[in-house]
Amino acid sequence: MDLTLEHARALDAADPLAAHRDRFVHADDRVYLDGNSLGRLPRTTADALARVVEQQWGAGLIRSWPRWLEEARATADLLGEVVLGVAPGQVLVGDSTTVSLYRLAVAAVRARPGRTRILVEADAFPTDLYVLDGVARDHGLELVRIAAPIDDGVRAEHLAPLLDETVALVCLSHVHYRSGALLDLAGLTTLAHEVGALTLWDLCHSAGSVEVPLAASGADMAVGCTYKYLNAGPGAPAFSYVRADLLPALRSPIQGWFSQADQFAMAPDYDPVAGIDRIAAGTPDVRGIAAVREGVRTIEAAGVAALRAKGSALGDLAIALADAWLTPLGFRVASPRDAALRGAHVVLEHPEAWQACQAWIDAGVIPDFRTPDRLRIGLAALTTSFEDVWAGLDRLRAIVAEGRHLAYPTERGRVT
Amino acid sequence: MDLTLEHARALDAADPLAAHRDRFVHADDRVYLDGNSLGRLPRTTADALARVVEQQWGAGLIRSWPRWLEEARATADLLGEVVLGVAPGQVLVGDSTTVSLYRLAVAAVRARPGRTRILVEADAFPTDLYVLDGVARDHGLELVRIAAPIDDGVRAEHLAPLLDETVALVCLSHVHYRSGALLDLAGLTTLAHEVGALTLWDLCHSAGSVEVPLAASGADMAVGCTYKYLNAGPGAPAFSYVRADLLPALRSPIQGWFSQADQFAMAPDYDPVAGIDRIAAGTPDVRGIAAVREGVRTIEAAGVAALRAKGSALGDLAIALADAWLTPLGFRVASPRDAALRGAHVVLEHPEAWQACQAWIDAGVIPDFRTPDRLRIGLAALTTSFEDVWAGLDRLRAIVAEGRHLAYPTERGRVT
């Protein structure tokens, strides 16, 4: 691969998504390689939120509730269609990923009574491990951690030996938060189904970056956040997916009034609705839903297939540059080299990664650090250019080649 | 009492909180009697949210996280101090009231192993009944509904006969959503504590309208929403209170990463922090927290004691007008007449309440309807004038006296 700046610029010139970059706020010329932690602000979002706040809340007051409830449903269905490729009525937007994962995991293990094990990847994102640890303990189940190489993630040969009819639930991340490994969602779902286990997919790092074959695979349930590739902003509500025919078998442990049939009859006894809202809990975050809608529209305008293609190309460039420039400096590419097996971030391992991270930030680049020694490079296709990748890695090369990072603390403080 | 418009205006002229009304957006001249369902928009909130969105998210991106985490803690402590009168480190702002109630109820019944009953008022707000029904069933407990007159609410004589050492948890609303009855939080807490039961108070209708004697009473736990008297907007996050010395005994069933010690070490095993954040779950709703902060500041500027005094006076006027004008038309005051036993809303019962509600809205008044036949008049002291009360009830009198409401449908549609 041609590793010149000119080539990176040529890739940008030929990029069909290049114009989409201007749909987002770019307040300065820093190189942002962390769109997989917090996506950029879409240009339409500030106005959309101001409308919700000033017109719908300030002027409309409670008269806006019918509209807000319609927006909540429409936004969830739009996210389902655009991001997940699923038919309406199977997605809920609301609550955090943690709460969403909890209620679906509990509902799932109760839908498989008598089974005694939950399987989760050993290196799952921490909140997934913590939540499932609690769910397993509270229901008398064993949480089994699936051992697999972090760089490549869980494959059939890691999952299959653990599957039998004692397994209630298999919980996996579609794209691994620490390596970018893209799992075979369809194949692993089929394996789980062969023993009658349910599947719960964490889509935090795949929604909006790669196609999610939920419908084709018959996957049972999924959750994901909206503040990464979906660009809905800090603390925006998560989404939950449940396959329609599975819904009647699921009952949320959190029996909130927004899941109640004929909610405003305010009947004393709980009677959940038949549809996806049966897993809803409390009053929806109206501002958050408006931000999700604007974020999902940025995905809709590009199309997931185009985002996937560009994300792969950005990753290929990053890996080629890392091989040429950074491997000689002690870095190791800790992500799958085959774009077909990789999501939209690339991870570089280095023993002095924390020091390099701090120096890199001071050099005008915003990356992400993940313990113990990983630099995570987010390649959000809507907002990241090929030149960003080139410039970011060029600065990292200079820092480490000159040893400038060694002037930074080795001790990690509180990192977000 | 003098029931003239001039007298209402004189009360406004003498009202020490009158100037606070201008701290909020008033987009038209409708009479808003529903600040207990959705509080008005504070004038500072739109700008505060724009700063979060445009500057902190749009420009700051992930570099704003340290600030956002500090704001979350500071806002929770401010709410605790201003609204609840409690020391720092005992309040969390996050998730919905429903989720908050769920996790504290589960934690509570697990902190009282061997006990077999949860007590809740029979006419509790529906989400409380639904959540506790689920918690009781999932933990093999019996949910006992405390019978008490709706108008006056649960008193010692209703609770005491049900208390014994089989009771794990007593859950009550400080101010009743349907009648406005203000319960004796301290006295009922003492009764529950005599048998070793824990108390969980729903403060949705009392936070920001009346003093909440959490600290003096030794109450164990509380939850409440922020979109009513705290003016934080539709779907803003709820708050949770746990008395500091009780915290070590509680463990949230939802083991989220924001409750983890040294969170960003991302250790594989769950180890919750010692403080109030041990009940936290996922990524905080940054926009919602900013709105809560602005809303709590509107309470801080007035002081809860002044809000309580004005709320009582507004209620006294509403009841006097109802007695004079509406009782002859078939209405019944369904709230405590003694302001010391009443929160900041007054309820009027009428067999044609739903029709009257529709006609009243068309006459430029926004009230609230509650099944089966109640008009709920919210008297948010910061934004409601004595003239509002006078004008609102004057229009209701004219409508019903002339029979205009009888032209409206008797069948209730979806009501929010």
Side-chain angles (χ1 to χ4, degrees):
Chain A
M1 190 184 285
D2 183 344
L3 301 182
T4 62
L5 175 58
E6 290 65 35
H7 180 64
R9 287 178 172 164
L11 290 174
D12 284 326
D15 172 17
L17 294 183
H20 289 252
R21 193 173 156 92
D22 290 334
R23 293 172 177 260
F24 296 83
V25 171
H26 296 259
D28 57 40
D29 60 0
R30 282 190 180 77
V31 176
Y32 192 57
L33 299 178
D34 210 0
N36 62 329
S37 178
L38 179 65
R40 280 192 184 273
L41 170 60
R43 287 201 180 277
T44 61
T45 298
D47 284 349
L49 286 170
R51 273 196 303 279
V52 168
V53 170
E54 294 172 34
Q55 293 170 28
Q56 296 171 21
W57 171 21
L61 291 162
I62 58 154
R63 290 168 297 167
S64 296
W65 268 116
R67 173 192 195 135
W68 289 332
L69 296 175
E70 282 168 27
E71 291 278 0
R73 173 58 18 230
T75 299
D77 284 340
L78 182 69
L79 189 158
E81 178 192 342
V82 167
V83 177
L84 308 178
V86 299
Q90 300 179 105
V91 174
L92 176 75
V93 173
D95 304 299
S96 65
T97 310
T98 296
V99 168
S100 301
L101 189 86
Y102 170 80
R103 69 179 156 215
L104 287 182
V106 171
V109 300
R110 292 187 184 157
R112 289 292 182 269
R115 295 189 176 223
T116 56
R117 294 192 300 155
I118 298 173
L119 306 188
V120 65
E121 56 201 310
D123 195 55
F125 187 76
T127 214
D128 300 24
L129 291 176
Y130 306 157
V131 163
L132 294 173
D133 169 69
V135 170
R137 190 196 56 239
D138 292 346
H139 294 82
L141 277 72
E142 180 190 7
L143 182 64
V144 178
R145 297 176 188 228
I146 308 163
I150 294 177
D151 289 10
D152 296 325
V154 174
R155 297 184 183 179
E157 63 262 34
H158 309 115
L159 179 63
L162 298 170
L163 284 171
D164 60 29
E165 293 189 353
T166 68
V167 177
L169 176 67
V170 178
C171 182
L172 295 166
S173 292
H174 189 202
V175 172
H176 193 280
Y177 84 105
R178 227 173 359 182
S179 72
L182 172 67
L183 270 55
D184 176 11
L185 189 150
L188 296 171
T189 294
T190 298
L191 279 180
H193 283 178
E194 282 171 3
V195 298
L198 291 167
T199 53
L200 173 51
W201 287 92
D202 180 336
L203 305 179
C204 286
H205 282 276
S206 61
S209 69
V210 299
E211 290 97 344
V212 184
L214 286 178
S217 67
D220 303 289
M221 299 168 292
V223 299
C225 76
T226 62
Y227 47 75
K228 297 179 187 293
Y229 297 105
L230 302 188
N231 305 310
F239 65 85
S240 301
Y241 164 80
V242 180
R243 208 184 60 237
D245 65 284
L246 181 63
L247 274 170
L250 295 190
R251 190 167 171 129
S252 171
I254 307 170
Q255 298 186 165
W257 67 315
F258 271 77
S259 65
Q260 172 77 355
D262 195 7
Q263 177 184 6
F264 286 92
M266 300 203 163
D269 295 316
Y270 182 63
D271 175 25
V273 296
I276 185 71
D277 286 333
R278 72 190 277 112
I279 64 167
T283 306
D285 170 10
V286 170
R287 284 179 292 247
I289 286 166
V292 171
R293 185 191 58 217
E294 297 308 311
V296 168
R297 283 180 177 164
T298 68
I299 304 298
E300 183 181 31
V304 171
L307 294 170
R308 167 62 167 147
K310 182 175 172 188
S312 295
L314 289 165
D316 286 343
L317 176 63
I319 289 172
L321 293 171
D323 284 343
W325 296 346
L326 300 174
T327 303
L329 298 171
F331 284 89
R332 185 180 78 78
V333 173
S335 295
R337 292 178 164 278
D338 180 351
L341 302 176
R342 192 180 68 228
H345 61 273
V346 165
V347 178
L348 301 175
E349 213 175 64
H350 190 284
E352 294 146 2
W354 174 237
Q355 290 173 294
C357 181
Q358 298 168 79
W360 211 10
I361 291 169
D362 282 350
V365 179
I366 304 182
D368 213 343
F369 174 79
R370 282 295 173 256
T371 56
D373 55 6
R374 290 180 168 225
L375 295 173
R376 192 172 70 173
I377 302 171
L379 303 165
L382 280 171
T383 57
T384 309
S385 66
F386 291 92
E387 182 169 346
D388 283 339
V389 173
W390 192 95
L393 294 190
D394 181 56
R395 290 184 210 175
L396 182 61
R397 162 173 68 163
I399 287 165
V400 178
E402 295 163 18
R404 277 189 272 147
H405 63 297
L406 299 174
Y408 287 81
T410 56
E411 286 303 302
R412 186 183 60 86
R414 183 176 177 88
V415 185
T416 55
Chain B
M1 191 182 284
D2 184 344
L3 302 182
T4 63
L5 175 57
E6 290 65 37
H7 180 63
R9 287 178 172 165
L11 292 172
D12 284 326
D15 173 17
L17 294 182
H20 289 253
R21 194 174 155 93
D22 290 335
R23 291 171 178 262
F24 295 84
V25 171
H26 296 261
D28 57 40
D29 61 359
R30 281 191 182 77
V31 176
Y32 192 57
L33 298 177
D34 210 2
N36 62 328
S37 178
L38 179 65
R40 280 190 183 275
L41 169 62
R43 287 201 179 278
T44 60
T45 298
D47 283 350
L49 287 170
R51 274 195 303 277
V52 168
V53 171
E54 293 172 35
Q55 294 171 27
Q56 297 172 22
W57 171 21
L61 290 163
I62 60 153
R63 291 168 297 166
S64 296
W65 267 116
R67 171 191 196 136
W68 289 333
L69 296 175
E70 283 167 27
E71 290 277 0
R73 172 61 17 233
T75 298
D77 284 341
L78 182 69
L79 189 158
E81 178 192 341
V82 167
V83 177
L84 307 178
V86 300
Q90 303 178 104
V91 174
L92 176 76
V93 173
D95 304 300
S96 65
T97 310
T98 295
V99 169
S100 302
L101 189 86
Y102 171 80
R103 69 180 155 215
L104 288 182
V106 171
V109 301
R110 291 186 184 156
R112 288 291 179 273
R115 295 189 176 221
T116 55
R117 294 191 300 156
I118 299 173
L119 305 188
V120 63
E121 57 201 312
D123 196 54
F125 188 76
T127 214
D128 300 24
L129 291 176
Y130 306 157
V131 165
L132 294 173
D133 169 68
V135 171
R137 189 195 57 238
D138 291 347
H139 294 81
L141 278 72
E142 180 191 5
L143 182 64
V144 178
R145 299 178 187 223
I146 308 164
I150 295 177
D151 290 10
D152 297 325
V154 173
R155 298 185 182 177
E157 66 260 35
H158 309 115
L159 178 62
L162 298 171
L163 285 171
D164 62 29
E165 294 189 354
T166 66
V167 178
L169 176 66
V170 178
C171 182
L172 295 166
S173 293
H174 189 203
V175 171
H176 193 281
Y177 83 105
R178 216 153 36 160
S179 73
L182 172 67
L183 269 55
D184 175 11
L185 188 150
L188 297 170
T189 294
T190 299
L191 279 180
H193 284 178
E194 282 171 5
V195 298
L198 291 167
T199 52
L200 173 50
W201 288 92
D202 179 336
L203 306 179
C204 285
H205 283 276
S206 61
S209 69
V210 299
E211 291 96 344
V212 184
L214 285 178
S217 67
D220 303 288
M221 300 168 291
V223 299
C225 75
T226 63
Y227 46 74
K228 299 180 185 289
Y229 297 105
L230 302 188
N231 305 310
F239 64 86
S240 300
Y241 163 80
V242 179
R243 209 184 59 238
D245 66 284
L246 180 64
L247 274 170
L250 296 190
R251 188 167 171 127
S252 171
I254 307 170
Q255 298 186 167
W257 68 314
F258 271 77
S259 65
Q260 172 78 355
D262 196 10
Q263 177 184 5
F264 287 93
M266 298 200 165
D269 295 315
Y270 182 63
D271 175 24
V273 297
I276 184 71
D277 286 333
R278 72 192 276 110
I279 64 167
T283 305
D285 169 12
V286 170
R287 286 179 290 247
I289 285 167
V292 171
R293 185 189 60 217
E294 297 308 312
V296 169
R297 283 181 177 165
T298 68
I299 304 296
E300 183 182 31
V304 171
L307 294 169
R308 166 64 166 145
K310 182 177 172 187
S312 295
L314 290 166
D316 287 343
L317 177 63
I319 289 173
L321 292 171
D323 284 343
W325 296 347
L326 300 174
T327 303
L329 298 171
F331 283 90
R332 185 178 79 80
V333 173
S335 296
R337 291 180 164 275
D338 180 352
L341 301 176
R342 192 181 67 227
H345 61 273
V346 166
V347 178
L348 301 175
E349 211 175 67
H350 190 283
E352 293 144 4
W354 173 238
Q355 289 173 295
C357 181
Q358 298 169 78
W360 211 8
I361 292 168
D362 282 351
V365 179
I366 305 182
D368 213 343
F369 174 79
R370 280 295 172 257
T371 57
D373 54 7
R374 293 181 166 224
L375 294 174
R376 193 171 70 174
I377 303 172
L379 303 166
L382 280 171
T383 56
T384 309
S385 67
F386 291 92
E387 183 170 345
D388 282 340
V389 173
W390 193 94
L393 293 191
D394 181 56
R395 289 184 212 175
L396 182 60
R397 163 173 67 162
I399 288 165
V400 178
E402 296 164 15
R404 277 189 273 147
H405 63 297
L406 298 174
Y408 288 82
T410 56
E411 285 303 300
R412 188 182 59 83
R414 184 175 175 91
V415 185
T416 55

